[in-house]
Amino acid sequence: MNGAESLVRALVRGGIETCFANPGTSEMHIVAALDRVAEMRCVLGLFEGVVTGAADGYARMAGKPACTLLHLGPGFSNGIANLHNASRAQVPIVNLVGQHATYHVRHDTPLTSDIEAIARPYSKWLRTSCSAPELGHDAAEAIVAATQGRIATLIVPADAAWGEGGVIAEVPALPKASAPKGADVERAAAMLRSGLRTAMLIAGSALYSKGLAAAGRIAASTGAKLLAPYPFTRMRRGAGIPAVERVHYILEQAVEQLKEFRQLILVGARPPVAYFAAPGKNAVLTSPECEIHTLASPDEDCAGALEALAAALSLDGMQPIAANAERPSLPSGDINLQGLAAVIGALLPENTIVVDESMTSGRGLMAATRGAPPHDWLANTGGSIGIALPLAVGAAVACPERHVLCLTADGSAMYTAQALWTMARESLNVTTVVFANRAYAVLKREFSYLGVGNAGPRALGMFEIGRPDLDWVLLAKGMGVPGTRVISLEDFARALREGFEGGGPMLIEVRL
Amino acid sequence: MNGAESLVRALVRGGIETCFANPGTSEMHIVAALDRVAEMRCVLGLFEGVVTGAADGYARMAGKPACTLLHLGPGFSNGIANLHNASRAQVPIVNLVGQHATYHVRHDTPLTSDIEAIARPYSKWLRTSCSAPELGHDAAEAIVAATQGRIATLIVPADAAWGEGGVIAEVPALPKASAPKGADVERAAAMLRSGLRTAMLIAGSALYSKGLAAAGRIAASTGAKLLAPYPFTRMRRGAGIPAVERVHYILEQAVEQLKEFRQLILVGARPPVAYFAAPGKNAVLTSPECEIHTLASPDEDCAGALEALAAALSLDGMQPIAANAERPSLPSGDINLQGLAAVIGALLPENTIVVDESMTSGRGLMAATRGAPPHDWLANTGGSIGIALPLAVGAAVACPERHVLCLTADGSAMYTAQALWTMARESLNVTTVVFANRAYAVLKREFSYLGVGNAGPRALGMFEIGRPDLDWVLLAKGMGVPGTRVISLEDFARALREGFEGGGPMLIEVRL
């Protein structure tokens, strides 16, 4: 067995059954192995930002890694921005990156690069295999590293892939996240009993696993507020589920939101700070009087920590707080942001996966869907735009029986629009809504916010993405996805229903 | 004056007058400075791969650097693949990358990353400015570094940009490439006098500057063959200009092409080696008996070296060899690759800039245009696909009075299709031909070439980019570029004429 086949078979043995891929010549033996191993599903992306973003979306929903297949240093580079987002999501991904044959690198041919240097900033685990017999073992180690919520990158020289002597290694027992210290649980319990106004800022898997029920019991018993960072990985929410409020993106709104709290308990979250500094402004969002206590760090078992905290508070029989089942009524008339949010809130099917990169257009969406039937919500974790469409691909591959609603700003969607093609090829059940305000609207706001005066025509030329206007219906059709443009809220509701009923991909352009 | 304004004014003083940009919040003060400094033209790209590829195309044609404006680590990352290509083209580029305010980095907010680590592999010069007074000086040093055919990256913390105390630094005298050693010139002259079959492999600026005339005189006098590497930066060619033959991409064809030569003189080129290794094959393209001598390294003055060599051979009065003025006649009938090349050869206007990423579809193009009116030809230097459309943007911005003919494969064009929007916004005189074979055709060939057997359906699924077919006319129209699909060679000729006469961007889809 050659190295490539041992690599693929080791991945399958380790539970990896999906490969998001854009290979090149140096990966041909891996492609040949994928051709032979039917247990691995291969999904082609026409750009690597689609590939890595899809691996992120898959991991968020499947709870286990997919692998990517990338061509040399440039192929990895094209995937970095969404690996940045994935690293902030703390999801497991195993990247396979081809390299020239070991003896060929010295020729410094056009596609030669220092792949390790390129991959290192976003690879918590990084290795170049030296020969065929190592590949299977290295793949097993990569899986172990990835399972800890990390990005693992295995660089595969072509001669290691085509060489004989491959071994299908066993994957060792996967490590479990460590439990938080008893003293930290006790301290959190004491804070909650103190009577001071307290919030819990929850991130990671605690937002969608059994940890959320524990948090709901704690909130019901103590009156603590449940908060999530603006950039969360995945949140389970809707009627009957403990409502967790997202910290606002805009600094002043977040400060207002947090100012009442004298105590903040962090569960897998970092202390809340504004995304960006601004001259003369304090970026820390909590009140100076607020005591911040870390119950569990992002690497620890956050769900377990919440359950331990609930046990310390003796809340075993307590019912969690739960969002009421309530939806907005279907609005009509001209397009406006509040109306669009209400349509989504009114129509969202149960168990939909909502992928949200709606940016400035979507600020009312979470409020409007708070009491909708239970669903999952995925956010942009790293702030690098162009995540939504790829994330939707990965979520739909992981959960073929569920609807995916992909909400994206137009500027963001242009970064990785190639994902639409993958949706069409794989007949993915994704309804994409493009909020087309023809601008990087967030920048228009930030420009004046930062106190640099009014934007003149040259600055506006870098914020406005009209002239010419993008036609999303044509772009979608050009990649095989049916699309429609809506000009009223009734239109939008009709199109959204059609998308949910269709079973395949569809795009709705909302001109704002 | 704040740091940002001193930065922009120092760049302008140093001769940089074009900024390809995709800024974000951390670059708002630089945007405000660009808003005030009218001497700098700002060109927005809707993805950073467009931005960096355009800077490459601009530098190839303008002979001086543009700057890019990129948003933090992820923005730089999105531009890496075309910086890889630019690094192999040895063109000057000055990247400006925003960073959080120096005191904000410690908060590790979502968009924080180690930008130096991300930028280092492709930045021959790399610096993070510490404060406003340094920015102007750092910009001047970046220009000096870039002028040596390098990529220079200046990371600009937001507080350095908005801080006061900016200084518009003078740019020191720009360094000149050093002349090759006299002994190397003498050795080359002796080789050419020896009577052994000799070729000169020429790269860099010697392919389009006065060095080319000197090479033509040497060839006329000595019978030496003039060759260019497959991945050349820019070649001046056509009727009356010394014809330089490109080394073939396919290993066996290149070996056949080079086997007659017993001596090879390198002028700014590396020894010819196949792009990729293959099991059991020798990647070195020259015959084992061939002596290889380096007349000038890529960092040396290659044009000067050729002139010195011509002088050593006493060829001052000699007429250079020159390609005959001859064009194919206009073919008609069904679409085929030879016919398409003939149409282009028959119609190419004088002084067109041809950007060529036609991959497997374009192998006959250079032969068919050998005797066309003089023109420039730009190739993919680094082998990372997705260069053509951005390169065409940059070339058209640099040379607004010239036609640009952009020849691209469909798989490549999908990587950076956002460039079409910039062509439309800037009304660039670019005619884009998409060779739509609905496949990564090169991989289909490599798969069998590498001896891994016949591709099964799962491998073919990663090589074929049909199912669904991309509709390039819709994609172009969706970005504001008029497009047409041609189904015969007559159609193609008509569309090509229309493109050349139009003055703005146009796209022609050729379904193969």
Side-chain angles (χ1 to χ4, degrees):
Chain A
M1 185 185 307
N2 72 14
E5 187 165 337
S6 73
L7 167 67
V8 173
R9 292 198 185 278
L11 291 170
V12 169
R13 186 172 293 190
I16 295 186
E17 54 195 14
T18 305
C19 177
F20 296 100
N22 190 291
T25 302
S26 38
E27 293 78 38
M28 283 301 100
H29 286 82
I30 301 177
V31 170
L34 290 167
D35 207 26
R36 289 194 294 273
V37 180
E39 294 89 336
M40 183 81 83
R41 177 178 179 183
C42 298
V43 178
L44 177 64
L46 298 187
F47 177 71
E48 290 86 354
V50 177
V51 169
T52 54
D56 181 357
Y58 179 94
R60 292 191 199 195
M61 295 312 303
K64 66 177 190 176
C67 63
T68 69
L69 179 58
L70 305 166
H71 181 44
L72 298 167
F76 187 94
S77 302
N78 283 330
I80 288 178
N82 271 334
L83 289 177
H84 169 90
N85 291 328
S87 75
R88 295 284 168 169
Q90 296 203 288
V91 294
I93 294 177
V94 174
N95 296 309
L96 307 176
V97 189
Q99 170 60 299
H100 288 303
T102 49
Y103 58 85
H104 192 75
V105 173
R106 70 186 164 86
H107 293 303
D108 196 25
T109 51
L111 273 160
T112 304
S113 62
D114 184 345
I115 305 179
E116 288 198 354
I118 292 169
R120 189 167 289 117
Y122 286 107
S123 303
K124 285 275 177 98
W125 183 96
L126 177 64
R127 183 172 300 167
T128 302
S129 288
C130 293
S131 64
E134 294 174 21
L135 267 174
H137 294 289
D138 289 342
E141 285 193 43
I143 292 172
V144 171
T147 302
Q148 294 165 285
R150 293 172 179 175
I151 296 169
T153 300
L154 179 59
I155 301 170
V156 184
D159 50 342
W162 75 51
E164 288 300 318
V167 179
I168 308 170
E170 286 297 333
V171 177
L174 297 176
K176 290 206 153 93
S178 56
K181 294 189 195 73
D184 288 332
V185 175
E186 281 308 315
R187 175 69 200 133
M191 289 168 81
L192 288 163
R193 286 192 203 100
S194 70
L196 291 172
R197 190 76 180 107
T198 303
M200 299 177 62
L201 185 65
I202 305 170
S205 65
L207 280 176
Y208 60 89
S209 66
K210 57 190 177 158
L212 188 55
R217 291 199 298 276
I218 295 166
S221 155
T222 66
K225 178 92 173 176
L226 303 184
L227 296 170
Y230 186 82
F232 60 79
T233 300
R234 174 180 167 190
M235 188 191 291
R236 185 72 180 167
R237 61 196 299 273
I241 295 170
V244 181
E245 194 175 283
R246 189 181 195 178
V247 173
H248 290 295
Y249 177 81
I250 294 176
L251 186 143
E252 284 74 11
Q253 293 176 0
V255 168
E256 181 66 25
Q257 181 183 25
L258 298 180
K259 72 177 184 188
E260 64 178 299
F261 301 107
R262 289 295 164 271
Q263 300 184 129
L264 182 68
I265 297 169
L266 302 178
V267 187
R270 293 182 170 84
V273 177
Y275 273 53
F276 295 100
K281 309 220 181 198
N282 180 3
V284 175
L285 302 177
T286 42
S287 148
E289 291 84 43
C290 183
E291 179 194 344
I292 298 180
H293 169 65
T294 300
L295 169 62
S297 72
D299 286 335
E300 289 176 319
D301 175 8
C302 296
L306 286 165
E307 293 196 312
L309 179 56
L313 292 164
S314 307
L315 303 178
D316 274 1
M318 171 76 67
Q319 280 302 306
I321 55 162
N324 293 328
E326 56 186 356
R327 290 174 177 243
S329 48
L330 256 185
S332 60
D334 289 344
I335 298 280
N336 63 81
L337 293 180
Q338 199 178 351
L340 292 167
V343 171
I344 291 169
L347 299 181
L348 196 73
E350 183 165 354
N351 230 12
T352 297
I353 301 163
V354 180
V355 176
D356 180 9
E357 195 180 19
S358 51
M359 307 288 286
T360 56
S361 300
R363 298 249 160 94
L365 285 167
M366 294 193 78
T369 49
R370 192 168 181 270
H375 57 275
D376 284 279
W377 201 279
L378 312 186
N380 184 340
T381 40
S384 179
I385 64 174
I387 191 177
L389 293 164
L391 213 56
V393 165
V397 168
C399 303
E401 75 294 350
R402 294 175 69 171
H403 294 289
V404 177
L405 175 62
C406 176
L407 306 168
T408 178
D410 50 358
S412 302
M414 272 306 278
Y415 266 58
T416 47
Q418 303 94 334
L420 291 167
W421 179 87
T422 302
M423 291 180 194
R425 170 175 271 198
E426 302 289 332
S427 299
L428 300 179
N429 190 358
V430 180
T431 302
T432 297
V433 179
V434 178
F435 295 96
N437 59 14
R438 299 177 298 287
Y440 295 126
V442 68
L443 299 185
K444 284 183 164 178
R445 187 198 153 273
E446 303 279 333
F447 192 84
S448 55
Y449 176 76
L450 288 167
V452 290
N454 293 323
R458 295 153 53 79
L460 286 175
M462 286 184 269
F463 303 154
E464 294 177 347
I465 65 172
R467 295 181 297 115
D469 291 351
L470 297 162
D471 185 323
W472 283 97
V473 176
L474 293 183
L475 292 174
K477 284 185 180 159
M479 290 182 262
V481 171
T484 184
R485 184 173 301 116
V486 298
I487 56 170
S488 71
L489 294 174
E490 292 90 330
D491 264 4
F492 181 55
R494 196 177 311 119
L496 206 55
R497 278 203 182 98
E498 197 185 313
F500 290 140
E501 286 161 10
M506 180 186 162
L507 180 141
I508 304 169
E509 177 180 334
V510 182
R511 288 241 173 144
L512 297 169
Chain B
M1 186 185 307
N2 71 15
E5 187 165 334
S6 72
L7 167 67
V8 174
R9 292 198 184 279
L11 292 170
V12 169
R13 185 171 294 188
I16 294 186
E17 55 194 15
T18 305
C19 177
F20 296 99
N22 189 291
T25 301
S26 38
E27 294 79 38
M28 283 300 99
H29 286 82
I30 301 177
V31 170
L34 291 166
D35 207 25
R36 290 194 294 274
V37 180
E39 294 89 337
M40 183 79 83
R41 177 178 180 186
C42 298
V43 178
L44 179 62
L46 298 186
F47 178 72
E48 291 85 354
V50 177
V51 169
T52 54
D56 181 358
Y58 179 93
R60 293 192 198 194
M61 295 312 303
K64 66 177 190 175
C67 64
T68 69
L69 179 58
L70 305 167
H71 182 44
L72 298 166
F76 186 94
S77 302
N78 282 330
I80 288 178
N82 271 335
L83 289 177
H84 170 89
N85 290 328
S87 74
R88 294 283 168 169
Q90 294 204 290
V91 294
I93 295 178
V94 174
N95 296 310
L96 307 176
V97 188
Q99 170 60 300
H100 289 303
T102 50
Y103 57 84
H104 193 75
V105 174
R106 71 186 163 87
H107 292 304
D108 195 26
T109 51
L111 273 159
T112 305
S113 62
D114 185 346
I115 305 179
E116 289 198 354
I118 292 168
R120 188 167 291 119
Y122 286 108
S123 303
K124 284 275 177 100
W125 182 98
L126 176 64
R127 184 172 299 167
T128 302
S129 287
C130 292
S131 65
E134 295 175 21
L135 267 175
H137 295 288
D138 290 343
E141 285 193 43
I143 292 171
V144 172
T147 303
Q148 296 165 284
R150 293 172 177 176
I151 296 169
T153 300
L154 179 59
I155 300 169
V156 185
D159 50 342
W162 75 51
E164 288 300 318
V167 179
I168 308 171
E170 287 296 333
V171 175
L174 296 177
K176 291 206 152 97
S178 56
K181 294 187 195 74
D184 288 332
V185 176
E186 282 309 316
R187 175 71 200 130
M191 289 167 81
L192 288 163
R193 288 192 203 101
S194 70
L196 290 172
R197 190 76 182 108
T198 303
M200 299 175 62
L201 185 65
I202 305 171
S205 65
L207 279 176
Y208 59 89
S209 67
K210 57 189 178 156
L212 188 54
R217 291 200 298 276
I218 295 166
S221 154
T222 67
K225 178 92 176 176
L226 303 184
L227 296 170
Y230 185 83
F232 59 81
T233 299
R234 174 181 167 190
M235 187 191 290
R236 185 72 181 166
R237 61 197 298 273
I241 295 171
V244 182
E245 194 175 284
R246 189 180 194 178
V247 173
H248 291 295
Y249 178 80
I250 294 176
L251 186 143
E252 283 73 14
Q253 293 176 0
V255 167
E256 181 66 24
Q257 181 183 23
L258 299 180
K259 71 176 184 189
E260 64 177 299
F261 301 107
R262 288 297 164 270
Q263 301 183 128
L264 182 67
I265 298 170
L266 302 177
V267 188
R270 293 184 170 83
V273 178
Y275 273 51
F276 294 100
K281 307 220 184 199
N282 180 4
V284 174
L285 302 177
T286 42
S287 146
E289 292 84 43
C290 182
E291 179 194 345
I292 298 180
H293 169 65
T294 301
L295 170 63
S297 72
D299 286 335
E300 290 177 317
D301 175 8
C302 297
L306 286 165
E307 293 195 313
L309 179 55
L313 292 165
S314 308
L315 304 177
D316 274 2
M318 171 77 67
Q319 282 300 306
I321 55 161
N324 293 328
E326 57 186 353
R327 290 174 176 246
S329 49
L330 256 185
S332 60
D334 289 344
I335 299 280
N336 63 80
L337 293 180
Q338 199 178 352
L340 293 167
V343 171
I344 291 169
L347 299 180
L348 196 73
E350 183 165 355
N351 229 13
T352 297
I353 301 162
V354 180
V355 177
D356 180 10
E357 194 180 18
S358 52
M359 308 288 286
T360 55
S361 300
R363 299 248 160 95
L365 285 166
M366 294 193 79
T369 50
R370 194 168 180 269
H375 57 275
D376 285 280
W377 201 278
L378 313 185
N380 184 341
T381 41
S384 179
I385 65 172
I387 191 178
L389 294 164
L391 213 57
V393 165
V397 168
C399 303
E401 75 294 351
R402 295 175 68 172
H403 295 288
V404 177
L405 176 61
C406 176
L407 307 169
T408 178
D410 49 359
S412 301
M414 272 306 277
Y415 266 58
T416 48
Q418 304 95 335
L420 291 167
W421 179 87
T422 302
M423 292 181 194
R425 170 175 271 197
E426 303 288 333
S427 299
L428 301 179
N429 190 358
V430 180
T431 302
T432 297
V433 178
V434 177
F435 295 96
N437 59 15
R438 300 178 297 289
Y440 296 126
V442 68
L443 298 186
K444 282 184 168 178
R445 187 197 152 272
E446 303 279 333
F447 192 85
S448 55
Y449 176 76
L450 287 167
V452 290
N454 293 322
R458 295 152 54 79
L460 285 174
M462 285 183 269
F463 303 155
E464 294 177 348
I465 66 173
R467 295 182 296 116
D469 290 352
L470 297 162
D471 185 322
W472 283 97
V473 177
L474 293 182
L475 292 174
K477 284 187 178 156
M479 289 183 262
V481 171
T484 185
R485 182 172 303 116
V486 298
I487 56 170
S488 71
L489 294 174
E490 292 90 331
D491 264 6
F492 181 54
R494 196 177 310 121
L496 206 55
R497 278 204 182 96
E498 197 185 314
F500 290 139
E501 285 160 12
M506 181 187 162
L507 180 140
I508 304 168
E509 176 180 335
V510 182
R511 287 240 175 146
L512 297 169

